Amino acid sequence: MEDPALQAILIHDKSLPGKIAEGSEARDLLDQQILVLGAQLVNQLHILLKTVRIHDRTNAAVNQVVDATVTTVKTLARDNPVVIRLQNDFLYLGDAHLKMGSQQVAIFLEFIDSLNARGIGAISFSAEMQEVDLREFAYRFISVDPATCTFDDLKRQLKEGEIHGIDIEEATSLMIRVGQKNKQLKNLAKQLYVKAVAAVGEVLQSVREGRAPNFRQAKRVVQNMVDVILQDEPTLLGLTTLRCYDEYTHNHSVNVSLLSVALGNRAGYPREALVDLGLAALFHDLGKTSIPQDLLNKSEEFTDEEWEKLRIHATLGVINLVRLRGLTNLPGRMAAAAFEHHLNYDLSGYPTLSMPWELSLTGRILMVADCYDSMTSSRVYRRDPIAPNKVLTMMFAKSGILYDPVLLKLFVNCVGIIPIGCLALLDSHELAVVIRPSANRQTAARPCVKLISDRSGNPIDGPEVDLAEKDPDGRFKCSVVRLVDNTEYRFDTGRYFA
Ligand SMILES: [Fe+2]
Ligand SMILES: [Fe+2]
């Protein structure tokens, strides 16, 4: 991920970003590389904080990571300091969201926890910072016990240490703080999501490298996900709107698994069957491991020939599964998920069939979940994402043709007719994100929302509001006036679920 050549250029010519036109391809590339360096800085800070816990100030390992971190800071800091900001449990480099690769998820979460525990909203490093400052900062940072000390105690410590070029900022009230219990469940859900992404990543990597994959870990994660879904479906489904992982396939696989389990649950599957379904859904695109990465990641439109190649992934999925698990060991649901997910309800999709075919329930569930996630996310075949409510409308227009009509109706109960993740303008002129569907079918158009901006459009960490609730006079307190297209404004509602 690191690019020494780019680092060298940036060190050599710090005015480079100013010389390259905004919006140009070169600028995009440079911005991307700067974000890579930002993620690298988080990595290095994480290692530094770990290293200073076990070694003293003169240790070579400490010096090594201090030197490397200072180099990154000096590369990134031009006239202005480098600022790592924490907002709503996401890290930013300045104003740019730092995306994490599946390898970095645990590191990012741990680093975020260490900032959260100390009430830190941002750390800035200026180009004047020296090795001695960073080393002192790290030791003072870990010496402050979050259980007993406040942000001000840490600030005082840094001042006493005469540290130059590093500053910390306190987390503001704008940052989302939810109730402790709610937070615990959310944390559990998020951890599971992260584990699932990692498990998919590992299996797909093994398959790509021709090693026997270990499905056991993936199965354990799916079992836990099923248990959470049975308790609190919207919390996990909310995570499907997160778009913070750079490996689209891993992200998509986990989302499809969660949506399939939720739908299977509505269709009356018992727990064990839900686990099988979730696991099958997690690997429905396994065939893509046999398709060249540069074709999958291609940014231009596909040619007819390339589409042909992509379409084989459904058949390749079954072949891979048979090869990996053996014909007698292969669960039917896994084969069905891989083979049938692009077939369409009327069998008009692919692979082309040369004999009569009866679709399995797994396949029909997968068609709905796969299509919903693909259309609402931005990465599938590089198409622009479509707002969740519009996706549902489009899917209903093809009910009974592309999708099983009964399952589609059940699916709406999972995500809501105003689906989770939508951005809604209320008659109070406040803006809100849909966080769960209404508990009652009669009030399906009145989901639970979280207020995110006040009447004047200022961002707020607002309360959760049940739009189906009435005031003492029997009138609804608030209603949705219209849905705002969050994808048009590139507004990432996913962060409200993290
Ligand atoms: Fe697929
Ligand atoms: Fe898919």
Side-chain angles (χ1 to χ4, degrees):
M1 292 274 279
E2 293 172 26
D3 188 338
L6 184 94
Q7 283 203 27
I9 294 169
L10 279 169
I11 289 171
H12 187 68
D13 185 359
K14 291 194 174 159
S15 61
L16 188 63
K19 290 179 186 164
I20 302 179
E22 293 265 352
S24 68
E25 210 172 302
R27 182 60 190 256
D28 276 357
L29 208 64
L30 187 68
D31 287 346
Q32 268 174 31
Q33 292 291 353
I34 288 175
L35 286 181
V36 170
L37 284 176
Q40 181 184 314
L41 179 60
V42 172
N43 260 325
Q44 289 168 328
L45 288 170
H46 170 80
I47 298 169
L48 175 63
L49 293 176
K50 281 210 135 113
T51 315
V52 296
R53 276 178 204 280
I54 38 175
H55 296 299
D56 62 26
R57 282 174 167 77
T58 53
N59 186 280
V62 174
N63 285 341
Q64 212 176 358
V65 59
V66 164
D67 289 351
T69 315
V70 169
T71 306
T72 309
V73 167
K74 291 197 189 275
T75 311
L76 282 168
R78 289 180 286 273
D79 304 333
N80 300 316
V82 191
V83 184
I84 300 278
R85 228 160 32 82
L86 172 65
Q87 202 171 340
N88 303 336
D89 275 350
F90 283 94
L91 289 175
Y92 291 79
L93 178 73
D95 292 326
H97 179 191
L98 281 178
K99 301 201 177 198
M100 44 189 166
S102 56
Q103 318 283 326
Q104 296 161 310
V105 172
I107 292 169
F108 268 52
L109 289 182
E110 223 176 288
F111 186 67
I112 288 171
D113 283 347
S114 64
L115 296 185
N116 260 333
R118 291 165 179 81
I120 298 174
I123 312 183
S124 54
F125 305 92
S126 73
E128 287 86 62
M129 177 188 78
Q130 300 298 320
E131 282 77 2
V132 58
D133 298 310
L134 184 62
R135 192 179 303 117
E136 196 55 34
F137 169 80
Y139 282 102
R140 301 243 169 193
F141 186 98
I142 59 147
S143 72
V144 168
D145 177 6
T148 52
C149 295
T150 63
F151 173 82
D152 291 332
D153 294 328
L154 177 61
K155 186 99 181 166
R156 203 171 320 115
Q157 278 278 330
L158 299 187
K159 207 169 169 202
E160 282 168 17
E162 292 186 12
I163 295 164
H164 299 287
I166 306 178
D167 201 10
I168 53 169
E169 233 175 80
E170 192 168 9
T172 66
S173 57
L174 256 186
M175 289 161 201
I176 288 175
R177 296 256 173 272
V178 272
Q180 210 43 40
K181 193 175 164 238
N182 203 350
K183 183 92 186 167
Q184 269 172 8
L185 187 69
K186 279 190 172 186
N187 272 344
L188 174 68
K190 200 161 70 173
Q191 300 283 349
L192 278 177
Y193 192 96
V194 165
K195 279 189 190 162
V197 168
V200 172
E202 247 178 70
V203 167
L204 297 189
Q205 192 59 27
S206 315
V207 176
R208 254 182 234 119
E209 290 169 4
R211 288 185 282 122
N214 182 359
F215 286 99
R216 229 172 299 145
Q217 198 200 343
K219 183 162 183 179
R220 262 198 302 271
V221 182
V222 173
Q223 278 167 338
N224 290 331
M225 290 196 318
V226 167
D227 289 337
V228 174
I229 284 205
L230 292 177
Q231 269 183 55
D232 184 343
E233 188 183 86
T235 298
L236 260 183
L237 289 191
L239 291 177
T240 61
T241 65
L242 271 173
R243 309 280 174 221
C244 65
Y245 299 94
D246 55 3
E247 288 89 353
Y248 166 74
T249 311
H250 306 178
N251 208 146
H252 169 67
S253 304
V254 177
N255 291 351
V256 172
S257 175
L258 287 171
L259 293 166
S260 300
V261 169
L263 183 50
N265 186 26
R266 304 268 170 171
Y269 272 47
R271 184 181 174 279
E272 272 320 298
L274 283 180
V275 174
D276 286 350
L277 173 67
L279 194 64
L282 204 53
F283 298 108
H284 73 280
D285 272 334
L286 188 77
K288 285 192 179 169
T289 50
S290 309
I291 291 175
Q293 283 290 44
D294 28 322
L295 177 57
L296 291 174
N297 295 331
K298 193 184 166 196
S299 52
E300 302 93 52
E301 285 281 306
F302 292 120
T303 61
D304 289 350
E305 201 182 311
E306 285 167 338
W307 269 118
E308 262 326 294
K309 277 190 188 152
L310 276 170
R311 287 194 175 122
I312 334 173
H313 80 267
T315 321
L316 284 175
V318 186
I319 295 171
N320 276 341
L321 283 166
V322 171
R323 205 164 42 85
L324 295 168
R325 307 206 67 166
L327 199 51
T328 46
N329 244 340
L330 178 63
R333 279 201 182 90
M334 277 193 130
F339 189 72
E340 295 182 338
H341 74 275
H342 290 292
L343 260 180
N344 294 342
Y345 186 61
D346 62 358
L347 304 179
S348 61
Y350 60 91
T352 315
L353 300 164
S354 52
M355 56 177 144
W357 193 267
E358 200 179 321
L359 286 170
S360 69
L361 184 52
T362 301
R364 283 177 282 147
I365 287 177
L366 256 293
M367 286 170 196
V368 175
D370 181 48
C371 199
Y372 181 78
D373 187 68
S374 305
M375 290 210 273
T376 50
S377 47
S378 54
R379 288 285 301 278
V380 75
Y381 306 138
R382 300 286 165 162
R383 274 193 311 240
D384 278 336
I386 308 170
N389 54 309
K390 287 190 181 160
V391 169
L392 276 191
T393 311
M394 289 161 76
M395 288 175 76
F396 265 99
K398 300 283 182 192
S399 177
I401 304 165
L402 301 187
Y403 314 103
D404 182 319
V406 178
L407 287 177
L408 198 52
K409 277 193 187 146
L410 288 175
F411 186 70
V412 180
N413 296 340
C414 305
V415 291
I417 53 169
I418 302 182
I420 295 174
C422 277
L423 204 55
L425 183 67
L426 306 180
D427 52 3
S428 57
H429 298 289
E430 292 158 310
L431 204 57
V433 173
V434 177
I435 52 171
R436 60 179 75 214
S438 172
N440 194 325
R441 204 170 308 175
Q442 270 79 52
T443 50
R446 299 186 159 277
C448 287
V449 298
K450 177 175 176 60
L451 301 183
I452 59 163
S453 88
D454 65 14
R455 287 153 195 266
S456 321
N458 302 312
I460 53 164
D461 171 18
E464 292 182 3
V465 180
D466 185 350
L467 297 181
E469 230 170 61
K470 293 180 177 172
D471 60 19
D473 307 334
R475 280 184 307 225
F476 290 115
K477 288 179 184 164
C478 245
S479 303
V480 174
V481 178
R482 67 181 171 86
L483 294 180
V484 180
D485 194 335
N486 47 348
T487 57
E488 204 173 297
Y489 293 97
R490 308 237 166 240
F491 187 94
D492 181 13
T493 52
R495 62 199 173 107
Y496 293 100
F497 298 94

